[in-house]
Amino acid sequence: MEKYVINGGKPLYGEIDVSGAKNAAVAIIPAALMVNGVCRLENIPQISDADMLMTILEHLGAKIRMVNRNTVEIDCTDVRYTDAPYDLMRRIRASYYLIGAMLGRFGAAKTTMPGGCNFGVRPIDQHIKGMTALGADVEVTGGFVYAKALDGKLHGTRIYLDKVSVGATMNIILAASMARGRTVIENAAKEPHIVDLANFLNSMGAEIMGAGTDVIKIRGVERLHGAVYSVIPDQIEAGTFMIAAAATKGDVLVTNVIPKHLEPITSKMRKIGVNIEEFDDSVRVWVDGPLVRTNVKTMPHPGFPTDMQPQIAVTLALAEGTSIVTESIFENRFKYADELSRMGACIKVEGNSAIIDGVKKLTGARVSAPDLRAGAALVIAGLAADGITVVDDIVYIQRGYENFEEKLRSLGAEIEKVSSEKEIQKFRLRVG
Ligand code: UD1
């Protein structure tokens, strides 16, 4: 079991390049399956969720060729309709995009119920509602999802999502791209990665309009063709480094970003007293005064992202005054609170809110990553804390951050990936 060991208390300084967006890549990779041909995907982050999806495509008959570290060619010419491998599928959330992609290409899909980070019940009823409305018969039984277009092909229709869902919006876009006729998705999610998926599909010949608004219109096409596409920068990875700079009171230039995508994060950080200067494709983040309290409520885009909630809570744990963080997307996303308390934070969870009384400093402790973003938040806490922090279960963090520890080290962080108690001891001795 790998862990991070961190000697904290040092401000981060320097420049850091952001990788491609995880949540865009995990939909775009399955979308490549819809083409009887080759897609060249650039700026694919090297993270385990992306690797897992490519392995699943290989099991389905795709040929995958890594052109370089972040560019991959996916040839789905020989993909045939077959069962996706259960054991791989159930490990990640984004495997649900294979339902839409396979239904679109083959008119049938058999996948597992998706896995992923556990922050409470994560139903897929809106995905199923969408596929059913498009004319598929969907059955969930024994941990599997079986879907079949009733007359061999999906039909465009009007779908109103009862809940704003990133996953359901993207899955319906995938399936509807190759349905007969026109589909309208109402109350659609508006995240930047939805626009990215639509842009990719459009570059393959799809006809999708309105992505990024809450009404998306899709005219189904008979077939899609191969394309070359570059994934957008990861707004959550960028936000994570911005918070790391702020919590350690450093000065960091975060590059390869789309500042517009960061606005919900930027505006909250400014309220806390963090300085942020925006450039064309980078943001400089620095702290030269006290951090102050604010309240945060997670909301669908363009609201404050739930995927940044644990990280901003770390900054608030070090800010003057009492802040309230309210989680309105997922029911159980405060599992890091106990861990943060062990580092000296004053944080109390009541229902879907965390009440945080800022403290002057955190102290290193042994903590465990409960999920991807909470894990990243605990690393930030460790970087800001005095002394040594050990973060266990970093397998979660590796699902979504490319070279996390290397990137942090390039900013001056003292962080190492270790896999034994002996190595932790060595690190302790070395840093004194
Ligand atoms: C996706 C992201 C995840 C991110 C989340 C919110 C992937 C693989 N995962 O997750 O990183 O944290 O968006 O930005 O890209 N819901 C339903 N029924 C459904 C679908 C969702 O009730 O059929 C609910 C969920 O329980 C949640 C809310 O809708 O309360 C939003 O979920 P959704 O946007 O779908 O998130 P995920 O696709 O699970």
Side-chain angles (χ1 to χ4, degrees):
M1 280 297 193
E2 292 183 317
K3 317 156 197 312
Y4 284 139
V5 53
I6 302 161
N7 185 28
K10 298 178 188 66
L12 299 186
Y13 289 111
E15 193 175 316
I16 195 73
D17 212 26
V18 168
S19 300
K22 164 188 172 275
N23 287 352
V26 297
I28 284 173
I29 294 168
L33 177 141
M34 299 177 77
V35 180
N36 188 352
V38 184
C39 289
R40 182 184 171 105
L41 305 178
E42 299 166 356
N43 210 27
I44 294 287
Q46 242 194 24
I47 52 173
S48 61
D49 269 19
D51 290 346
M52 190 84 77
L53 281 163
M54 290 192 270
T55 310
I56 292 170
L57 289 194
E58 270 180 328
H59 275 263
L60 296 172
K63 292 193 184 73
I64 310 264
R65 187 172 81 87
M66 289 309 296
V67 178
N68 58 45
R69 189 183 168 81
N70 297 106
T71 301
V72 60
E73 273 179 6
I74 304 181
D75 180 353
C76 287
T77 310
D78 294 330
V79 169
R80 299 282 170 266
Y81 174 64
T82 171
D83 294 357
Y86 175 83
D87 211 42
L88 299 177
M89 299 273 295
R90 71 186 177 83
R91 284 196 235 160
I92 56 170
R93 184 96 198 133
S95 57
Y96 53 38
Y97 292 128
L98 286 159
I99 304 174
M102 290 174 90
L103 261 180
R105 178 157 174 188
F106 303 114
K110 180 184 170 194
T111 66
T112 59
M113 279 297 280
C117 288
N118 176 11
F119 16 82
V121 185
R122 296 177 78 182
I124 59 161
D125 58 304
Q126 297 305 304
H127 301 238
I128 294 172
K129 174 180 168 174
M131 303 305 158
T132 308
L134 288 165
D137 180 37
V138 185
E139 203 189 327
V140 180
T141 173
F144 287 94
V145 181
Y146 300 87
K148 196 166 176 31
L150 284 172
D151 57 3
K153 190 91 185 148
L154 299 175
H155 293 272
T157 187
R158 199 174 193 87
I159 300 162
Y160 179 88
L161 293 179
D162 305 316
K163 183 129 197 185
V164 179
S165 159
V166 173
T169 302
M170 306 238 262
N171 224 346
I172 296 167
I173 289 176
L174 286 166
S177 292
M178 290 184 79
R180 277 196 198 112
R182 189 164 175 264
T183 298
V184 179
I185 310 173
E186 291 174 330
N187 201 26
K190 298 182 279 203
E191 269 68 1
H193 31 289
I194 290 173
V195 180
D196 209 37
L197 173 68
N199 286 343
F200 173 52
L201 288 165
N202 284 342
S203 75
M204 295 154 80
E207 292 186 28
I208 302 161
M209 283 147 292
T213 75
D214 57 6
V215 179
I216 300 178
K217 295 178 181 153
I218 304 152
R219 201 182 304 277
V221 295
E222 191 65 31
R223 63 181 58 81
L224 298 171
H225 53 74
V228 178
Y229 193 78
S230 183
V231 173
I232 51 165
D234 196 311
Q235 116 226 52
I236 304 300
E237 189 198 0
T240 302
F241 286 120
M242 290 165 74
I243 294 278
T248 61
K249 302 206 164 169
D251 187 341
V252 172
L253 185 72
V254 184
T255 59
N256 184 32
V257 299
I258 299 173
K260 175 100 190 123
H261 293 173
L262 299 174
E263 270 170 13
I265 303 166
T266 307
S267 65
K268 266 301 163 200
M269 289 181 71
R270 284 191 173 129
K271 281 216 170 103
I272 301 173
V274 180
N275 302 301
I276 300 177
E277 193 178 359
E278 294 176 15
F279 303 97
D280 285 349
D281 61 357
S282 59
V283 287
R284 178 183 164 211
V285 181
W286 77 103
V287 172
D288 55 10
L291 298 172
V292 291
R293 62 155 302 278
T294 194
N295 294 337
V296 176
K297 184 175 184 184
T298 63
M299 297 289 277
H301 191 78
F304 189 84
T306 172
D307 281 357
M308 284 300 300
Q309 182 261 100
Q311 300 91 314
I312 202 145
V314 172
T315 319
L316 294 172
L318 289 161
E320 286 171 8
T322 302
S323 306
I324 298 177
V325 176
T326 303
E327 173 57 57
S328 75
I329 309 289
F330 292 108
E331 60 178 25
N332 192 5
R333 223 175 169 172
F334 288 120
K335 284 197 278 184
Y336 63 88
D338 285 347
E339 305 298 287
L340 212 50
S341 301
R342 289 152 54 76
M343 300 178 73
C346 192
I347 174 167
K348 195 167 77 191
V349 179
E350 279 180 13
N352 66 343
S353 293
I355 300 140
I356 303 174
D357 284 319
V359 293
K360 287 227 159 3
K361 66 178 176 81
L362 297 174
T363 39
R366 185 143 193 166
V367 292
S368 183
D371 59 61
L372 165 60
R373 306 302 172 183
L378 291 171
V379 169
I380 295 171
L383 294 170
D386 285 349
I388 292 179
T389 294
V390 178
V391 182
D392 281 303
D393 290 335
I394 62 166
V395 63
Y396 287 111
I397 301 173
Q398 290 161 343
R399 295 178 49 175
Y401 290 92
E402 176 172 328
N403 287 337
F404 197 39
E405 71 282 4
E406 277 173 39
K407 286 190 178 188
L408 289 168
R409 264 201 303 272
S410 76
L411 296 173
E414 241 182 298
I415 176 170
E416 263 176 41
K417 187 159 65 185
V418 297
S419 40
S420 68
E421 296 302 317
K422 222 171 163 179
E423 285 177 274
I424 296 175
Q425 250 346 88
K426 264 196 200 158
F427 182 89
R428 282 187 195 279
L429 286 174
R430 199 173 58 246
V431 300

